[in-house]
Amino acid sequence: MKKILMLNGPNLNRLGKREPGIYGVRSLEDLEKRMVQLGVVSKIEVICFQSNHEGDLIDKLHEAEDTGMDGIIFNPGAFTHYSYAIRDAIAGINCPVIEVHISNVYQREEFRHKSVIAPVSKGQIAGLGFLGYELALEAFKREAKGEE
Ligand code: DQA
């Protein structure tokens, strides 16, 4: 069975409460339930983890390789724009990462236009809300089936 890790970074535990005009009204729990459910349908185990702490996210990235995850769906939140430590962690593991953003970061403040994660990621999805996570799962699913 394929195993995919869904990682969410800082402030994403506040989904549903945090700036709903930008991030929507659904909670992280709603997102995690939906992704686990989609995984069940596709025979993929989806493991969910959220942290507000950079080091915890880095530990999970390392662990993903050590526990044989087939891919990582990762919304690093604001760390996207400046965390070289997270960038290096991704570069140092043998496990593909798809970067996801709920909002269209390119329509927002200038500091959000740069991702230090993108150059070490397989791909990036931004601006499609929660659907972005689902599409990332679909991409890993197709890849596993050789349909990419
Ligand atoms: C975000 C965009 C980031 O700029 C922001 O800091 C977030 C969420 C998104 O999902 O749109 O926390 O990654």
Side-chain angles (χ1 to χ4, degrees):
M1 193 163 170
K2 291 274 161 199
K3 288 191 288 185
I4 299 292
L5 173 67
M6 178 172 73
L7 261 189
N8 279 290
N11 300 306
L12 292 162
N13 57 314
R14 305 276 302 161
L15 285 174
K17 295 180 191 133
R18 169 196 186 199
E19 300 183 272
I22 296 175
Y23 299 111
V25 294
R26 285 177 297 168
S27 67
L28 178 65
E29 199 191 339
D30 294 337
L31 172 66
E32 291 182 342
K33 272 194 193 147
R34 170 91 182 130
M35 293 295 287
V36 168
Q37 204 177 54
L38 282 175
V40 170
V41 175
S42 306
K43 297 190 169 55
I44 297 173
E45 187 183 352
V46 178
I47 295 114
C48 304
F49 182 79
Q50 186 277 332
S51 177
N52 295 322
H53 306 282
E54 191 176 23
D56 289 347
L57 294 167
I58 291 169
D59 287 345
K60 274 285 162 189
L61 289 166
H62 297 164
E63 199 185 296
E65 180 178 77
D66 299 342
T67 56
M69 293 288 160
D70 296 289
I72 303 169
I73 300 169
F74 191 12
N75 183 345
F79 286 141
T80 304
H81 314 299
Y82 67 91
S83 175
Y84 298 123
I86 288 180
R87 183 227 174 268
D88 283 354
I90 295 171
I93 56 170
N94 193 13
C95 184
V97 170
I98 299 181
E99 178 187 342
V100 172
H101 301 287
I102 295 166
S103 65
N104 184 342
V105 283
Y106 301 101
Q107 287 175 344
R108 301 180 62 198
E109 301 93 326
E110 189 94 32
F111 76 89
R112 295 185 206 275
H113 298 181
K114 182 172 172 62
S115 167
V116 300
I117 306 303
V120 290
S121 296
K122 180 178 167 68
Q124 186 197 55
I125 301 170
L128 301 181
F130 281 13
L131 178 62
Y133 294 88
E134 296 185 23
L135 295 176
L137 185 65
E138 178 67 23
F140 281 129
K141 187 176 131 189
R142 290 198 192 185
E143 185 184 54
K145 283 191 185 167
E147 287 175 3
E148 198 186 14

